[in-house]
């Protein structure tokens, strides 16, 4: 399992490297405000490849608009602080209208350089364009290496499935043992945390590739998340059963079978067939005489419907991704 510290270290080194390279290139080209290229690079790097490229493309257009507004302000008012204030007022409004929030800081910083130059001729405009291009370019290049982390997402899916197997096995035991220790739903809480983490990794993987059709992992985690919600409903039923109706062993054995055969490659169809057989067997059993046993059997019937919903979720997913 990777550590958060290692991930932070790698990202930090990547950002620092992109910034230093951008500054070095700007200095080699003898550009004014060379350090600004490094700042632009830092502000361009996003957590994923798609986010970085989207941010860079948006900033490119926002930068062009900023140049036009700055040129108008400095030409009409002159190269002093009030011209920059007017530029800021206009540009901030424009950025809010078009949602260019990520571009505001970068473009405002670059447009302030013209105030220092006291001029907005082609030489200085070219200087700022190169500063911007170098910074954004290095920011994009820093994230081009990002790829879908296949091994890690597979590890997370396996860990999530192992937790679900354990929950099903514990349910099987609890139906027959009312005094089962530590049956308090903590495992469901841990499962939800694991699914949230797996979902974040799946989303990041999706945004680090250009194939927009590769949604298998995202849909897989979403299916497991739905099953987790069903499991929670199953848990609430099981924990309130106080007797052992004559159908309890059937459901306990079936849950044990589900736990043993639960796997990402199991499409659920055989499981559903066995469920139908058990359902018929349960309906053929005589009704209980005792009131409490009758109530518990009614709860078991409700549990059956949840089990069916749980299995159908996997079948629906398998039919959507038949070759996966």
């Amino acid at each position: 399992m990777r550590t958060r510290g290692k991930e932070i270290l790698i990202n930090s080194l990547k950002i620092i490297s992109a910034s230093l390279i951008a500054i070095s290139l700007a200095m080699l080209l003898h550009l004014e405000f060379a350090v600004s290229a490094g700042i632009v690079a830092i502000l361009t790097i996003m957590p994923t490849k798609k986010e970085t490229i989207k941010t860079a493309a948006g900033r490119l257009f926002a930068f062009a608009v900023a140049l036009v507004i700055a040129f108008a302000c400095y030409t009409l008012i002159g190269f002093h602080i009030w011209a920059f204030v007017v530029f800021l007022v206009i540009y901030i409004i424009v950025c809010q209208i078009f949602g260019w929030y990520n571009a505001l800081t970068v473009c405002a910083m670059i447009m302030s350089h013209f105030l220092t130059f006291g001029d907005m001729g082609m030489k200085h405009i070219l200087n700022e364009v190169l500063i911007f291009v170098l910074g954004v370019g290095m920011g994009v290049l820093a994230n081009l290496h990002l790829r879908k982390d296949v091994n890690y997402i597979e590890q997370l899916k396996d860990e999530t499935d192992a937790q679900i197997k354990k929950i099903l096995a514990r349910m099987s035991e609890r139906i027959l043992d009312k005094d089962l220790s530590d049956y308090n739903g903590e495992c469901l809480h841990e499962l939800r945390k694991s699914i949230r983490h797996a979902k974040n990794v799946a989303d990041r993987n999706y945004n680090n590739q250009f194939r927009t059709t590769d949604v298998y992992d995202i849909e897989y985690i979403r299916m497991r998340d739905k099953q987790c919600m069903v499991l929670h409903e199953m848990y609430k039923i099981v924990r309130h059963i106080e007797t052992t109706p004559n159908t309890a062993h059937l459901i306990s054995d079936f849950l044990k079978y589900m736990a043993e055969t639960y796997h990402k490659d199991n499409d659920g169809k055989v499981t559903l067939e066995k469920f139908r057989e058990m359902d018929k067997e349960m309906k053929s059993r005589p009704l209980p005489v005792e009131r409490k046993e009758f109530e518990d059997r009614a709860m078991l019937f409700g549990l059956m419907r949840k089990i069916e919903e749980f299995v159908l979720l996997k079948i629906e997913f398998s039919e959507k991704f038949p070759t996966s």
Side-chain angles (χ1 to χ4, degrees), residues 166-182:
K166 180 180 178 181
I167 291 170
L168 289 170
R170 291 273 290 174
M171 280 188 183
S172 171
E173 296 174 20
R174 173 59 178 80
I175 287 176
L176 301 180
D177 182 4
K178 309 305 173 293
D179 299 320
L180 186 66
S181 62
D182 299 327

mmCIF file with all atom_site columns, all heavy atoms in Angstrom, residues 166-182:
data_model
loop_
_atom_site.group_PDB
_atom_site.id
_atom_site.type_symbol
_atom_site.label_atom_id
_atom_site.label_alt_id
_atom_site.label_comp_id
_atom_site.label_asym_id
_atom_site.label_entity_id
_atom_site.label_seq_id
_atom_site.pdbx_PDB_ins_code
_atom_site.Cartn_x
_atom_site.Cartn_y
_atom_site.Cartn_z
_atom_site.occupancy
_atom_site.B_iso_or_equiv
_atom_site.pdbx_formal_charge
_atom_site.auth_seq_id
_atom_site.auth_comp_id
_atom_site.auth_asym_id
_atom_site.auth_atom_id
_atom_site.pdbx_PDB_model_num
ATOM 1   N N   . LYS A 1 166 ? -16.177 -10.696 3.941  1.00 0.00 ? 166 LYS A N   1
ATOM 2   C CA  . LYS A 1 166 ? -16.169 -10.833 5.400  1.00 0.00 ? 166 LYS A CA  1
ATOM 3   C C   . LYS A 1 166 ? -17.526 -10.440 5.987  1.00 0.00 ? 166 LYS A C   1
ATOM 4   O O   . LYS A 1 166 ? -18.027 -11.105 6.906  1.00 0.00 ? 166 LYS A O   1
ATOM 5   C CB  . LYS A 1 166 ? -15.066 -9.955  5.987  1.00 0.00 ? 166 LYS A CB  1
ATOM 6   C CG  . LYS A 1 166 ? -14.961 -10.026 7.500  1.00 0.00 ? 166 LYS A CG  1
ATOM 7   C CD  . LYS A 1 166 ? -13.841 -9.137  8.016  1.00 0.00 ? 166 LYS A CD  1
ATOM 8   C CE  . LYS A 1 166 ? -13.786 -9.175  9.543  1.00 0.00 ? 166 LYS A CE  1
ATOM 9   N NZ  . LYS A 1 166 ? -12.700 -8.296  10.082 1.00 0.00 ? 166 LYS A NZ  1
ATOM 10  N N   . ILE A 1 167 ? -18.120 -9.371  5.456  1.00 0.00 ? 167 ILE A N   1
ATOM 11  C CA  . ILE A 1 167 ? -19.427 -8.916  5.953  1.00 0.00 ? 167 ILE A CA  1
ATOM 12  C C   . ILE A 1 167 ? -20.495 -9.968  5.690  1.00 0.00 ? 167 ILE A C   1
ATOM 13  O O   . ILE A 1 167 ? -21.331 -10.255 6.560  1.00 0.00 ? 167 ILE A O   1
ATOM 14  C CB  . ILE A 1 167 ? -19.798 -7.573  5.294  1.00 0.00 ? 167 ILE A CB  1
ATOM 15  C CG1 . ILE A 1 167 ? -18.874 -6.460  5.800  1.00 0.00 ? 167 ILE A CG1 1
ATOM 16  C CG2 . ILE A 1 167 ? -21.262 -7.210  5.569  1.00 0.00 ? 167 ILE A CG2 1
ATOM 17  C CD1 . ILE A 1 167 ? -19.000 -5.153  5.053  1.00 0.00 ? 167 ILE A CD1 1
ATOM 18  N N   . LEU A 1 168 ? -20.482 -10.558 4.514  1.00 0.00 ? 168 LEU A N   1
ATOM 19  C CA  . LEU A 1 168 ? -21.458 -11.607 4.179  1.00 0.00 ? 168 LEU A CA  1
ATOM 20  C C   . LEU A 1 168 ? -21.273 -12.821 5.091  1.00 0.00 ? 168 LEU A C   1
ATOM 21  O O   . LEU A 1 168 ? -22.262 -13.411 5.561  1.00 0.00 ? 168 LEU A O   1
ATOM 22  C CB  . LEU A 1 168 ? -21.304 -12.015 2.711  1.00 0.00 ? 168 LEU A CB  1
ATOM 23  C CG  . LEU A 1 168 ? -21.760 -10.988 1.667  1.00 0.00 ? 168 LEU A CG  1
ATOM 24  C CD1 . LEU A 1 168 ? -21.322 -11.418 0.270  1.00 0.00 ? 168 LEU A CD1 1
ATOM 25  C CD2 . LEU A 1 168 ? -23.275 -10.803 1.715  1.00 0.00 ? 168 LEU A CD2 1
ATOM 26  N N   . ALA A 1 169 ? -20.015 -13.198 5.336  1.00 0.00 ? 169 ALA A N   1
ATOM 27  C CA  . ALA A 1 169 ? -19.739 -14.348 6.204  1.00 0.00 ? 169 ALA A CA  1
ATOM 28  C C   . ALA A 1 169 ? -20.224 -14.079 7.629  1.00 0.00 ? 169 ALA A C   1
ATOM 29  O O   . ALA A 1 169 ? -20.797 -14.967 8.281  1.00 0.00 ? 169 ALA A O   1
ATOM 30  C CB  . ALA A 1 169 ? -18.245 -14.662 6.192  1.00 0.00 ? 169 ALA A CB  1
ATOM 31  N N   . ARG A 1 170 ? -20.012 -12.861 8.111  1.00 0.00 ? 170 ARG A N   1
ATOM 32  C CA  . ARG A 1 170 ? -20.464 -12.502 9.454  1.00 0.00 ? 170 ARG A CA  1
ATOM 33  C C   . ARG A 1 170 ? -21.987 -12.502 9.550  1.00 0.00 ? 170 ARG A C   1
ATOM 34  O O   . ARG A 1 170 ? -22.558 -12.893 10.576 1.00 0.00 ? 170 ARG A O   1
ATOM 35  C CB  . ARG A 1 170 ? -19.921 -11.117 9.818  1.00 0.00 ? 170 ARG A CB  1
ATOM 36  C CG  . ARG A 1 170 ? -18.427 -11.074 10.026 1.00 0.00 ? 170 ARG A CG  1
ATOM 37  C CD  . ARG A 1 170 ? -18.034 -11.421 11.425 1.00 0.00 ? 170 ARG A CD  1
ATOM 38  N NE  . ARG A 1 170 ? -18.418 -10.380 12.368 1.00 0.00 ? 170 ARG A NE  1
ATOM 39  C CZ  . ARG A 1 170 ? -18.290 -10.478 13.685 1.00 0.00 ? 170 ARG A CZ  1
ATOM 40  N NH1 . ARG A 1 170 ? -17.806 -11.584 14.213 1.00 0.00 ? 170 ARG A NH1 1
ATOM 41  N NH2 . ARG A 1 170 ? -18.652 -9.496  14.486 1.00 0.00 ? 170 ARG A NH2 1
ATOM 42  N N   . MET A 1 171 ? -22.660 -12.075 8.501  1.00 0.00 ? 171 MET A N   1
ATOM 43  C CA  . MET A 1 171 ? -24.129 -12.120 8.481  1.00 0.00 ? 171 MET A CA  1
ATOM 44  C C   . MET A 1 171 ? -24.612 -13.558 8.566  1.00 0.00 ? 171 MET A C   1
ATOM 45  O O   . MET A 1 171 ? -25.589 -13.860 9.276  1.00 0.00 ? 171 MET A O   1
ATOM 46  C CB  . MET A 1 171 ? -24.658 -11.478 7.201  1.00 0.00 ? 171 MET A CB  1
ATOM 47  C CG  . MET A 1 171 ? -24.701 -9.973  7.223  1.00 0.00 ? 171 MET A CG  1
ATOM 48  S SD  . MET A 1 171 ? -25.544 -9.314  5.778  1.00 0.00 ? 171 MET A SD  1
ATOM 49  C CE  . MET A 1 171 ? -25.328 -7.545  6.067  1.00 0.00 ? 171 MET A CE  1
ATOM 50  N N   . SER A 1 172 ? -23.916 -14.443 7.841  1.00 0.00 ? 172 SER A N   1
ATOM 51  C CA  . SER A 1 172 ? -24.276 -15.857 7.872  1.00 0.00 ? 172 SER A CA  1
ATOM 52  C C   . SER A 1 172 ? -24.195 -16.411 9.297  1.00 0.00 ? 172 SER A C   1
ATOM 53  O O   . SER A 1 172 ? -25.073 -17.157 9.746  1.00 0.00 ? 172 SER A O   1
ATOM 54  C CB  . SER A 1 172 ? -23.331 -16.639 6.950  1.00 0.00 ? 172 SER A CB  1
ATOM 55  O OG  . SER A 1 172 ? -23.514 -18.019 7.095  1.00 0.00 ? 172 SER A OG  1
ATOM 56  N N   . GLU A 1 173 ? -23.169 -16.005 10.023 1.00 0.00 ? 173 GLU A N   1
ATOM 57  C CA  . GLU A 1 173 ? -22.999 -16.471 11.404 1.00 0.00 ? 173 GLU A CA  1
ATOM 58  C C   . GLU A 1 173 ? -24.050 -15.849 12.329 1.00 0.00 ? 173 GLU A C   1
ATOM 59  O O   . GLU A 1 173 ? -24.600 -16.531 13.199 1.00 0.00 ? 173 GLU A O   1
ATOM 60  C CB  . GLU A 1 173 ? -21.593 -16.104 11.900 1.00 0.00 ? 173 GLU A CB  1
ATOM 61  C CG  . GLU A 1 173 ? -20.467 -16.790 11.152 1.00 0.00 ? 173 GLU A CG  1
ATOM 62  C CD  . GLU A 1 173 ? -19.113 -16.287 11.597 1.00 0.00 ? 173 GLU A CD  1
ATOM 63  O OE1 . GLU A 1 173 ? -19.016 -15.720 12.708 1.00 0.00 ? 173 GLU A OE1 1
ATOM 64  O OE2 . GLU A 1 173 ? -18.136 -16.429 10.836 1.00 0.00 ? 173 GLU A OE2 1
ATOM 65  N N   . ARG A 1 174 ? -24.319 -14.554 12.145 1.00 0.00 ? 174 ARG A N   1
ATOM 66  C CA  . ARG A 1 174 ? -25.221 -13.833 13.053 1.00 0.00 ? 174 ARG A CA  1
ATOM 67  C C   . ARG A 1 174 ? -26.660 -14.347 12.974 1.00 0.00 ? 174 ARG A C   1
ATOM 68  O O   . ARG A 1 174 ? -27.387 -14.353 13.989 1.00 0.00 ? 174 ARG A O   1
ATOM 69  C CB  . ARG A 1 174 ? -25.189 -12.337 12.723 1.00 0.00 ? 174 ARG A CB  1
ATOM 70  C CG  . ARG A 1 174 ? -26.207 -11.480 13.469 1.00 0.00 ? 174 ARG A CG  1
ATOM 71  C CD  . ARG A 1 174 ? -26.043 -11.556 14.984 1.00 0.00 ? 174 ARG A CD  1
ATOM 72  N NE  . ARG A 1 174 ? -26.979 -10.708 15.673 1.00 0.00 ? 174 ARG A NE  1
ATOM 73  C CZ  . ARG A 1 174 ? -28.264 -11.009 15.906 1.00 0.00 ? 174 ARG A CZ  1
ATOM 74  N NH1 . ARG A 1 174 ? -28.746 -12.175 15.482 1.00 0.00 ? 174 ARG A NH1 1
ATOM 75  N NH2 . ARG A 1 174 ? -29.051 -10.160 16.557 1.00 0.00 ? 174 ARG A NH2 1
ATOM 76  N N   . ILE A 1 175 ? -27.078 -14.818 11.820 1.00 0.00 ? 175 ILE A N   1
ATOM 77  C CA  . ILE A 1 175 ? -28.447 -15.327 11.684 1.00 0.00 ? 175 ILE A CA  1
ATOM 78  C C   . ILE A 1 175 ? -28.678 -16.532 12.602 1.00 0.00 ? 175 ILE A C   1
ATOM 79  O O   . ILE A 1 175 ? -29.772 -16.710 13.149 1.00 0.00 ? 175 ILE A O   1
ATOM 80  C CB  . ILE A 1 175 ? -28.728 -15.715 10.210 1.00 0.00 ? 175 ILE A CB  1
ATOM 81  C CG1 . ILE A 1 175 ? -28.884 -14.438 9.374  1.00 0.00 ? 175 ILE A CG1 1
ATOM 82  C CG2 . ILE A 1 175 ? -29.990 -16.576 10.083 1.00 0.00 ? 175 ILE A CG2 1
ATOM 83  C CD1 . ILE A 1 175 ? -29.058 -14.689 7.901  1.00 0.00 ? 175 ILE A CD1 1
ATOM 84  N N   . LEU A 1 176 ? -27.627 -17.316 12.821 1.00 0.00 ? 176 LEU A N   1
ATOM 85  C CA  . LEU A 1 176 ? -27.763 -18.512 13.661 1.00 0.00 ? 176 LEU A CA  1
ATOM 86  C C   . LEU A 1 176 ? -27.257 -18.289 15.087 1.00 0.00 ? 176 LEU A C   1
ATOM 87  O O   . LEU A 1 176 ? -27.569 -19.075 15.977 1.00 0.00 ? 176 LEU A O   1
ATOM 88  C CB  . LEU A 1 176 ? -26.971 -19.676 13.032 1.00 0.00 ? 176 LEU A CB  1
ATOM 89  C CG  . LEU A 1 176 ? -27.385 -20.071 11.611 1.00 0.00 ? 176 LEU A CG  1
ATOM 90  C CD1 . LEU A 1 176 ? -26.526 -21.233 11.124 1.00 0.00 ? 176 LEU A CD1 1
ATOM 91  C CD2 . LEU A 1 176 ? -28.869 -20.446 11.563 1.00 0.00 ? 176 LEU A CD2 1
ATOM 92  N N   . ASP A 1 177 ? -26.474 -17.240 15.289 1.00 0.00 ? 177 ASP A N   1
ATOM 93  C CA  . ASP A 1 177 ? -25.892 -16.980 16.607 1.00 0.00 ? 177 ASP A CA  1
ATOM 94  C C   . ASP A 1 177 ? -26.263 -15.565 17.046 1.00 0.00 ? 177 ASP A C   1
ATOM 95  O O   . ASP A 1 177 ? -25.645 -14.587 16.626 1.00 0.00 ? 177 ASP A O   1
ATOM 96  C CB  . ASP A 1 177 ? -24.365 -17.139 16.539 1.00 0.00 ? 177 ASP A CB  1
ATOM 97  C CG  . ASP A 1 177 ? -23.700 -16.917 17.895 1.00 0.00 ? 177 ASP A CG  1
ATOM 98  O OD1 . ASP A 1 177 ? -24.424 -16.720 18.901 1.00 0.00 ? 177 ASP A OD1 1
ATOM 99  O OD2 . ASP A 1 177 ? -22.446 -16.923 17.944 1.00 0.00 ? 177 ASP A OD2 1
ATOM 100 N N   . LYS A 1 178 ? -27.251 -15.453 17.894 1.00 0.00 ? 178 LYS A N   1
ATOM 101 C CA  . LYS A 1 178 ? -27.729 -14.134 18.335 1.00 0.00 ? 178 LYS A CA  1
ATOM 102 C C   . LYS A 1 178 ? -26.745 -13.436 19.273 1.00 0.00 ? 178 LYS A C   1
ATOM 103 O O   . LYS A 1 178 ? -26.850 -12.234 19.512 1.00 0.00 ? 178 LYS A O   1
ATOM 104 C CB  . LYS A 1 178 ? -29.085 -14.270 19.051 1.00 0.00 ? 178 LYS A CB  1
ATOM 105 C CG  . LYS A 1 178 ? -30.122 -15.067 18.275 1.00 0.00 ? 178 LYS A CG  1
ATOM 106 C CD  . LYS A 1 178 ? -30.335 -14.493 16.885 1.00 0.00 ? 178 LYS A CD  1
ATOM 107 C CE  . LYS A 1 178 ? -31.227 -15.365 16.028 1.00 0.00 ? 178 LYS A CE  1
ATOM 108 N NZ  . LYS A 1 178 ? -30.630 -16.657 15.683 1.00 0.00 ? 178 LYS A NZ  1
ATOM 109 N N   . ASP A 1 179 ? -25.783 -14.199 19.812 1.00 0.00 ? 179 ASP A N   1
ATOM 110 C CA  . ASP A 1 179 ? -24.808 -13.632 20.741 1.00 0.00 ? 179 ASP A CA  1
ATOM 111 C C   . ASP A 1 179 ? -23.449 -13.407 20.089 1.00 0.00 ? 179 ASP A C   1
ATOM 112 O O   . ASP A 1 179 ? -22.441 -13.280 20.774 1.00 0.00 ? 179 ASP A O   1
ATOM 113 C CB  . ASP A 1 179 ? -24.644 -14.571 21.951 1.00 0.00 ? 179 ASP A CB  1
ATOM 114 C CG  . ASP A 1 179 ? -25.943 -14.741 22.710 1.00 0.00 ? 179 ASP A CG  1
ATOM 115 O OD1 . ASP A 1 179 ? -26.662 -13.737 22.864 1.00 0.00 ? 179 ASP A OD1 1
ATOM 116 O OD2 . ASP A 1 179 ? -26.240 -15.877 23.134 1.00 0.00 ? 179 ASP A OD2 1
ATOM 117 N N   . LEU A 1 180 ? -23.413 -13.337 18.777 1.00 0.00 ? 180 LEU A N   1
ATOM 118 C CA  . LEU A 1 180 ? -22.153 -13.124 18.063 1.00 0.00 ? 180 LEU A CA  1
ATOM 119 C C   . LEU A 1 180 ? -21.516 -11.814 18.531 1.00 0.00 ? 180 LEU A C   1
ATOM 120 O O   . LEU A 1 180 ? -22.150 -10.755 18.517 1.00 0.00 ? 180 LEU A O   1
ATOM 121 C CB  . LEU A 1 180 ? -22.401 -13.070 16.556 1.00 0.00 ? 180 LEU A CB  1
ATOM 122 C CG  . LEU A 1 180 ? -21.160 -12.991 15.662 1.00 0.00 ? 180 LEU A CG  1
ATOM 123 C CD1 . LEU A 1 180 ? -20.338 -14.270 15.766 1.00 0.00 ? 180 LEU A CD1 1
ATOM 124 C CD2 . LEU A 1 180 ? -21.560 -12.751 14.214 1.00 0.00 ? 180 LEU A CD2 1
ATOM 125 N N   . SER A 1 181 ? -20.266 -11.890 18.958 1.00 0.00 ? 181 SER A N   1
ATOM 126 C CA  . SER A 1 181 ? -19.602 -10.708 19.523 1.00 0.00 ? 181 SER A CA  1
ATOM 127 C C   . SER A 1 181 ? -19.209 -9.707  18.442 1.00 0.00 ? 181 SER A C   1
ATOM 128 O O   . SER A 1 181 ? -18.943 -10.074 17.294 1.00 0.00 ? 181 SER A O   1
ATOM 129 C CB  . SER A 1 181 ? -18.347 -11.145 20.299 1.00 0.00 ? 181 SER A CB  1
ATOM 130 O OG  . SER A 1 181 ? -17.426 -11.773 19.426 1.00 0.00 ? 181 SER A OG  1
ATOM 131 N N   . ASP A 1 182 ? -19.202 -8.441  18.832 1.00 0.00 ? 182 ASP A N   1
ATOM 132 C CA  . ASP A 1 182 ? -18.741 -7.340  17.961 1.00 0.00 ? 182 ASP A CA  1
ATOM 133 C C   . ASP A 1 182 ? -19.522 -7.219  16.658 1.00 0.00 ? 182 ASP A C   1
ATOM 134 O O   . ASP A 1 182 ? -18.983 -6.758  15.649 1.00 0.00 ? 182 ASP A O   1
ATOM 135 C CB  . ASP A 1 182 ? -17.250 -7.506  17.635 1.00 0.00 ? 182 ASP A CB  1
ATOM 136 C CG  . ASP A 1 182 ? -16.383 -7.465  18.873 1.00 0.00 ? 182 ASP A CG  1
ATOM 137 O OD1 . ASP A 1 182 ? -16.753 -6.732  19.815 1.00 0.00 ? 182 ASP A OD1 1
ATOM 138 O OD2 . ASP A 1 182 ? -15.353 -8.159  18.908 1.00 0.00 ? 182 ASP A OD2 1
#
